[in-house]
Amino acid sequence: MNEKIEVANYQLIEWNPEDTLAIMENYYFPPYITLAHSFHAPAGWGIENRILNQYALQYVVKGVAEYPVGEHRYLTQEGDLLFHRPGEVHSIRTIDGSPYVCISIVFHMGLTAFPFHELLEHKHMLGNFRGHAIERMLTELVHLYQQPGLPAQLQCQGLLMRIMGSMAEFQHRIENKEPANLAKMVLVKNHILNHYERDLRHQELERVCGLTRNTIIQGFKKIFGMSPMQYLIWVRIQKAKELAIQTDLSVGEIAQSVGYSDVHTFGKMFKKKTGVSLTQYCSSLTTQYLNTKARIADNMNKDGRGLKG
């Protein structure tokens, strides 16, 4: 979070938890987050047989990758969240021709014993959270981790604990087969995801799953942490960001592509939900990329051997 940690965080993930405490400023209690970033893997990138002494969450934002942990083999895809524990041998292998973008969170609990086995048992693959509130929290945590100061640090720690609690609750619901309309809610979610550019109304969602409006709203929010219409807006924002970064479309054309006939309505919605305009969002990504590139180059010059990703 501060300059001292920012320079060292890529090395810190390989340290023993107790050895990191002396240099991690602004931390007064666990969890101690040694890395939180979004990583765009270059072609051919991979990690083989790595062992960390800390906990790690790996969330697939885009693409696919093979993720062996110990004797288990997982083929992760967009939305999958994987968790591994200290001492577990793991690898990450990208697939030729497929992009791989992930969020990595590495952390430990210091000298505090924490019952992860009670929350998540021995699971590695925790589920698919594409469009779920957990995905939003992971993204927000990465953003806040780049901000200086104690307030941002405290929010990061709080978000991580909320994520762990939400994952445990999700596992409990799945194991107890709750709610009864889980399959129908997934059907509604997929329908929104596949038709976000249309003028979707609750009547259409009722026809898709055969449930009433109130049942859909309550069930969807219980499972995914937001209402169907909130999810629709979230999907449109994510698609707008993708189009802004990956294409040369104008703001008006992007608005049309994600379901808004009026560019001003789209602009107000985007700024209300993200705090910035679409143009400002793209500019901030460019600035962040250049700053990160310069910081990594500076770190490599300081230690003379580069950083480990």
Side-chain angles (χ1 to χ4, degrees):
M1 301 295 295
N2 51 65
E3 187 65 25
K4 189 172 184 181
I5 292 177
E6 198 168 54
V7 170
N9 61 1
Y10 285 90
Q11 286 84 24
L12 283 180
I13 68 173
E14 298 185 355
W15 290 18
N16 291 318
E18 59 271 21
D19 295 332
T20 69
L21 299 179
I23 67 169
M24 296 186 72
E25 298 179 7
N26 285 335
Y27 280 90
Y28 299 95
F29 50 82
Y32 301 91
I33 306 171
T34 54
L35 180 67
H37 76 159
S38 179
F39 177 67
H40 295 240
W45 176 87
I47 291 174
E48 285 293 330
N49 298 325
R50 182 173 67 174
I51 301 176
L52 297 179
N53 294 315
Q54 303 176 38
Y55 298 97
L57 289 168
Q58 191 88 355
Y59 181 75
V60 184
V61 177
K62 184 176 183 180
V64 295
E66 184 184 8
Y67 205 121
V69 183
E71 298 179 353
H72 304 277
R73 297 290 184 271
Y74 304 97
L75 183 62
T76 60
Q77 59 186 345
E78 182 175 340
D80 284 345
L81 180 62
L82 195 138
F83 177 64
H84 61 83
R85 298 151 183 80
E88 291 186 315
V89 181
H90 62 279
S91 303
I92 308 175
R93 300 166 186 157
T94 55
I95 308 299
D96 289 343
S98 173
Y100 183 64
V101 182
C102 67
I103 287 175
S104 298
I105 312 292
V106 183
F107 65 97
H108 64 82
M109 306 304 288
L111 303 178
T112 303
F114 193 85
F116 282 111
H117 59 282
E118 293 183 16
L119 288 178
L120 304 173
E121 297 180 346
H122 299 290
K123 294 182 176 68
H124 296 121
M125 183 64 73
L126 300 180
N128 189 284
F129 298 96
R130 184 183 180 193
H132 192 279
I134 286 177
E135 183 179 56
R136 298 201 317 276
M137 288 189 283
L138 286 165
T139 302
E140 185 179 357
L141 195 160
V142 169
H143 171 71
L144 285 168
Y145 192 76
Q146 307 304 319
Q147 310 305 311
L150 181 58
Q153 177 65 63
L154 292 172
Q155 290 184 73
C156 284
Q157 292 176 276
L159 275 169
L160 181 54
M161 295 309 292
R162 285 176 59 196
I163 289 167
M164 299 304 295
S166 295
M167 288 192 304
E169 182 183 8
F170 181 87
Q171 295 296 327
H172 176 77
R173 287 203 303 264
I174 296 299
E175 290 170 2
N176 290 278
K177 298 181 180 180
E178 294 180 355
N181 293 319
L182 175 61
K184 292 187 177 181
M185 294 302 101
V186 172
L187 188 64
V188 170
K189 174 177 173 286
N190 290 338
H191 186 80
I192 294 172
L193 188 61
N194 294 327
H195 302 285
Y196 63 88
E197 75 285 358
R198 287 173 30 191
D199 183 23
L200 290 177
R201 303 295 179 90
H202 282 104
Q203 292 90 333
E204 182 172 341
L205 301 181
E206 290 173 359
R207 291 194 296 271
V208 167
C209 67
L211 300 174
T212 65
R213 171 180 173 145
N214 287 340
T215 301
I216 293 172
I217 293 174
Q218 293 173 6
F220 198 94
K221 191 168 185 178
K222 183 175 182 181
I223 295 171
F224 300 113
M226 66 186 93
S227 72
M229 292 301 110
Q230 287 172 330
Y231 177 67
L232 173 61
I233 292 174
W234 182 87
V235 171
R236 286 174 169 176
I237 289 174
Q238 303 312 309
K239 295 298 180 180
K241 289 178 179 179
E242 291 179 11
L243 290 172
I245 295 170
Q246 300 173 6
T247 73
D248 295 324
L249 294 177
S250 67
V251 175
E253 290 171 328
I254 291 173
Q256 291 278 351
S257 298
V258 299
Y260 289 87
S261 58
D262 180 62
V263 67
H264 299 294
T265 302
F266 166 76
K268 290 180 180 179
M269 177 279 300
F270 191 93
K271 188 166 186 177
K272 180 179 179 181
K273 296 298 181 180
T274 66
V276 295
S277 68
L278 185 59
T279 302
Q280 290 170 329
Y281 169 77
C282 294
S283 297
S284 68
L285 286 183
T286 301
T287 301
Q288 183 180 3
Y289 169 76
L290 293 175
N291 289 341
T292 301
K293 186 176 180 181
R295 185 168 63 246
I296 291 174
D298 182 58
N299 292 341
M300 293 177 68
N301 290 333
K302 287 180 179 178
D303 63 24
R305 58 187 174 85
L307 302 177
K308 296 180 181 180

